[in-house]
Amino acid sequence: SLATESIGSFCLTEPSSGSDAFALKTKAEKKGNEYVISGSKIYITSGRESDIFLVMANVDPSKGYKGITCFAVDASESAGVSVGGLEKKLGIRASSTATLNFDNVVVPAKNVVGEVGKGYKIAIETLNEGRIGIAGQMVGIAQGALDIAMPYLFERKQFGQFIGDFQGMQFQYAQANLDVQAARLLTYNAGRKKMAGLPFVEDAAMAKLFASQVAERVASKAIEWCGGIGFSREFGVERFYRDAKIGAIYEGTTNIQLHTLAKFMKDNYTKK
């Protein structure tokens, strides 16, 4: 069903747990051969449209993060899942971002994904892999901004020549293209390592971090190159700038990526 008829959402973030993901408050109480899930999740991508949810909930808060368990919740089979509201966002408006409430949602014990108490590992692994996808998204945003702006530079003339032929402009779009290609290769390398079963967490963090920075920088420059029309909605390039900003936030913020990379560097230089 998930592959052909339904949409799924990953439900981790809560009002009290963002970057500190394991501070989540959603609970799952075991009753016989079932669990009863209670809590709320925020900023859930496609939450309005989804039918199936991977929900992180704690079965034993006294154990801290080791009580976190992943549950597959099918809203068509379990009552109590509701959309609490939709975010009005700066960008990525093509998908909904919702608050989801789980009000005493009953799911069978067989819906535990993996093992009880190992949900934190699933969450970490999902985020690590997801960073490669976000990096790809950011590369696409940067490339899309270039693809709209570059033709305009050789249509618009000022002072008797195409604006794209001014040396100051040439240096800027040459650098932008270099940055996009570098971000693309970082992303491909992280994906290659993941598919080959090699360690990839550091590479994924690098790709996600750099690609998000490139997307925001290139999209911003693309607007500037196009001048007033670049700032208008009708031209289309401003959307890429709005969409790029989320890259520094979701699937691990910029500072979280830098923290991850710093830990790898320390280990590389201090391990005997």
Side-chain angles (χ1 to χ4, degrees):
S1 174
L2 184 59
T4 58
E5 301 172 0
S6 301
I7 295 175
S9 287
F10 177 68
C11 303
L12 175 63
T13 304
E14 298 182 6
S16 62
S17 60
S19 293
D20 184 10
F22 298 150
L24 61 85
K25 303 297 184 184
T26 297
K27 297 180 181 179
E29 182 181 357
K30 195 169 192 304
K31 292 186 176 181
N33 293 322
E34 298 174 325
Y35 284 89
V36 180
I37 301 173
S38 300
S40 295
K41 302 291 183 177
I42 61 173
Y43 306 140
I44 305 305
T45 301
S46 300
R48 178 180 59 185
E49 294 78 20
S50 293
D51 301 307
I52 299 173
F53 307 93
L54 286 183
V55 182
M56 299 297 166
N58 204 318
V59 299
D60 187 351
S62 68
K63 294 182 178 179
Y65 72 90
K66 291 187 177 181
I68 296 173
T69 302
C70 181
F71 295 89
V73 177
D74 188 336
S76 67
E77 298 177 354
S78 298
V81 182
S82 63
V83 176
L86 299 174
E87 300 297 332
K88 295 180 179 179
K89 300 173 293 184
L90 172 70
I92 56 168
R93 296 178 181 176
S95 70
S96 68
T97 301
T99 294
L100 295 178
N101 297 320
F102 297 86
D103 299 316
N104 296 317
V105 176
V106 179
V107 297
K110 67 179 182 179
N111 283 29
V112 170
V113 179
E115 299 177 38
V116 173
K118 295 298 178 66
Y120 70 95
K121 294 186 66 177
I122 294 173
I124 291 173
E125 290 168 0
T126 300
L127 291 172
N128 286 336
E129 294 177 15
R131 285 167 187 156
I132 302 174
I134 301 304
Q137 178 190 30
M138 294 298 116
V139 170
I141 287 172
Q143 187 66 60
L146 286 181
D147 290 348
I148 290 180
M150 286 303 298
Y152 181 77
L153 303 188
F154 299 98
E155 296 170 359
R156 170 79 167 169
K157 284 187 175 182
Q158 291 287 276
F159 305 102
Q161 65 176 335
F162 292 118
I163 58 176
D165 285 331
F166 286 98
Q167 188 180 65
M169 292 293 292
Q170 291 175 329
F171 290 174
Q172 290 182 56
Y173 60 71
Q175 182 66 54
N177 187 55
L178 172 62
D179 289 346
V180 173
Q181 296 304 326
R184 179 177 283 113
L185 290 174
L186 278 171
T187 303
Y188 285 169
N189 187 53
R192 175 188 65 83
K193 285 190 169 184
K194 169 64 176 66
M195 292 182 68
L198 299 171
F200 70 92
V201 174
E202 182 179 17
D203 303 271
M206 284 184 177
K208 194 266 186 183
L209 173 62
F210 187 67
S212 66
Q213 293 172 336
V214 168
E216 189 172 342
R217 185 165 62 242
V218 170
S220 177
K221 283 296 183 183
I223 292 173
E224 292 179 29
W225 300 339
C226 297
I229 196 171
F231 197 69
S232 69
R233 290 269 177 110
E234 64 182 279
F235 193 64
V237 74
E238 57 83 35
R239 174 186 175 181
F240 292 97
Y241 186 50
R242 291 186 288 106
D243 286 351
K245 190 60 199 178
I246 192 63
I249 301 171
Y250 68 178
E251 222 74 13
T253 65
T254 292
N255 283 340
I256 289 294
Q257 305 314 308
L258 289 169
H259 179 63
T260 297
L261 294 174
K263 288 196 296 184
F264 274 103
M265 286 190 70
K266 179 180 179 180
D267 289 344
N268 289 340
Y269 281 93
T270 58
K271 283 185 176 179
K272 302 299 183 181

